[in-house]
Each structure stands twice: as C-alpha cells, then as structure tokens.
C-alpha cells in the first residue's frame, strides 16, 4: 500500500465534512418518508475504509477515535458508541485488506460487512447503555435494512471513482 503524507493533512477535514453530510443525509431521508425507519448514512465509514490505502494504521486509528468522539458528542450526546466502534472497525479494515486483494467486488462486499457490523455494534451498545428499548426484530427491519439500502447505493456509485482517487488498484 502506498502511503501519501499529503492526504493525512486533509483527512481530518474530510472526515469532519463527511460526518456533517452523514447527519444531513440521514435527517433528510427520515424527513422525506413518513414511515418509522432510520436511515443511517455511513460516509465516514466509507472514507475510513478507503483511507486504509493511503494512511498508516496508527494515524487512521487516531483520526477514527477523534471523529468518533465528535460524532458521539454531536449526534448522540453520549460518549462511547462511535468512539469505540470506529477504531475497532478501522483495525478490522487493515487486517482484512492484508489478506483480501481489493477489487470492486471485494470493496463493495467489505463495505456492506462493515456497515452491518457498525449497525449491530451500535444497537448492542445502545441496549447495554439502556438508551433504546427496541428489540432486534425492530432493529433489523427499521434500522439495518434501510441503512444498508442507502449505503449500498453509496458504495455502488462511488467505488470506482474513489478507487481511482485513492489508488486502490496500484500494485505494491
């Protein structure tokens, strides 16, 4: 993997903007539809996944922790959910791409897995902290399915352009 030092200067700003866009897209989707579903946009997770090809692991873990802290304080007012989940998922991203050759299909499938893990982890932590009383059937039908729908749309539209921008297909 080629690591680019210039990208690391822009990464915190890019993650912050993606966090704000996530919130607006999620709110807009819930506002447009009158059905009780939660559409959770994961552009931050998408940027983090592609950043594994440009930034070293320690720096990306620090960025993921910082954006997790900001995300929790801005959207949840409870620290700990994204603060814990984002660095763990970044760690798994690095481990995965050590063994899996990134191509269009594996990037799409990987992102689907990471969105699923993020959503399940969030539901488990919200249940542990007693911040939700929803059961897992409600979670799968009202949160996970709509979130996967919007994020699969993101990755299908953005996988090729982002792969070119991030230089994913370059050989070592």
């Amino acid at each position: 993997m080629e690591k680019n030092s210039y990208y690391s200067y822009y990464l915190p700003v890019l993650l912050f903007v993606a966090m704000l866009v996530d919130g607006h897209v999620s709110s807009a989707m819930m506002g447009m539809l009158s059905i009780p579903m939660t559409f959770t946009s994961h552009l931050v997770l998408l940027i983090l996944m592609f950043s594994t090809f440009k930034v070293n692991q320690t720096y990306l873990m620090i960025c993921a922790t910082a954006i997790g802290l900001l995300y929790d304080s801005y959207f949840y007012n409870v620290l700990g959910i994204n603060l814990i989940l984002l660095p763990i998922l970044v760690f798994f991203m690095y481990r995965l791409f050590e063994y899996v050759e990134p191509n269009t299909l594996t990037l799409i499938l990987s992102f689907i897995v990471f969105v699923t893990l993020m959503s399940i982890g969030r539901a488990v932590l919200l249940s542990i902290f007693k911040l939700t009383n929803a059961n897992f059937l409600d979670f799968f039908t009202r949160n996970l399915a709509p979130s996967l729908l919007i994020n699969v749309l993101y990755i299908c539209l953005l996988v090729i352009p982002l792969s070119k921008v991030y230089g994913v297909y370059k050989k070592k």
Side-chain angles (χ1 to χ4, degrees), residues 52-145:
T52 60
F53 301 105
K54 286 268 193 198
V55 180
N56 70 27
Q57 183 176 356
T58 305
Y59 183 74
L60 194 58
M61 295 281 282
I62 292 168
C63 286
T65 303
I67 201 69
L69 178 67
L70 284 172
Y71 203 101
D72 286 341
S73 63
Y74 187 73
F75 291 112
Y76 291 126
N77 294 326
V78 175
L79 299 181
I81 296 168
N82 288 306
L83 182 68
I84 293 169
L85 292 175
L86 286 177
I88 290 172
L89 287 174
V90 166
F91 177 78
F92 285 136
M93 288 174 191
Y94 275 101
R95 296 294 83 75
L96 175 72
F97 292 122
E98 283 179 3
Y99 299 106
V100 175
E101 184 68 30
N103 60 41
T104 303
L105 181 62
T106 59
L107 289 171
I108 291 172
L109 293 176
S110 299
F111 187 65
I112 292 170
V113 168
F114 292 132
V115 167
T116 304
L117 290 174
M118 181 78 170
S119 297
I120 290 173
R122 183 177 290 147
V124 167
L125 288 174
L126 286 171
S127 295
I128 289 171
F129 293 142
K130 305 282 188 221
L131 296 173
T132 185
N133 56 1
N135 60 27
F136 279 102
L137 182 60
D138 284 341
F139 162 72
F140 282 110
T141 57
R142 296 176 190 250
N143 189 339
L144 184 61

Side-chain angles (χ1 to χ4, degrees), residues 10-84:
Y10 302 114
L11 181 61
V13 174
L14 184 61
L15 288 172
F16 183 73
V17 170
M19 178 191 80
L20 295 176
V21 170
D22 274 347
H24 289 296
V25 168
S26 298
S27 295
M29 291 297 292
M30 287 187 289
M32 285 191 304
L33 302 173
S34 61
I35 52 178
M37 291 190 171
T38 305
F39 290 87
T40 307
S41 173
H42 288 292
L43 285 175
V44 169
L45 196 60
L46 183 66
I47 298 297
L48 287 171
M49 185 177 84
F50 278 97
S51 294
T52 60
F53 301 105
K54 286 268 193 198
V55 180
N56 70 27
Q57 183 176 356
T58 305
Y59 183 74
L60 194 58
M61 295 281 282
I62 292 168
C63 286
T65 303
I67 201 69
L69 178 67
L70 284 172
Y71 203 101
D72 286 341
S73 63
Y74 187 73
F75 291 112
Y76 291 126
N77 294 326
V78 175
L79 299 181
I81 296 168
N82 288 306
L83 182 68
I84 293 169

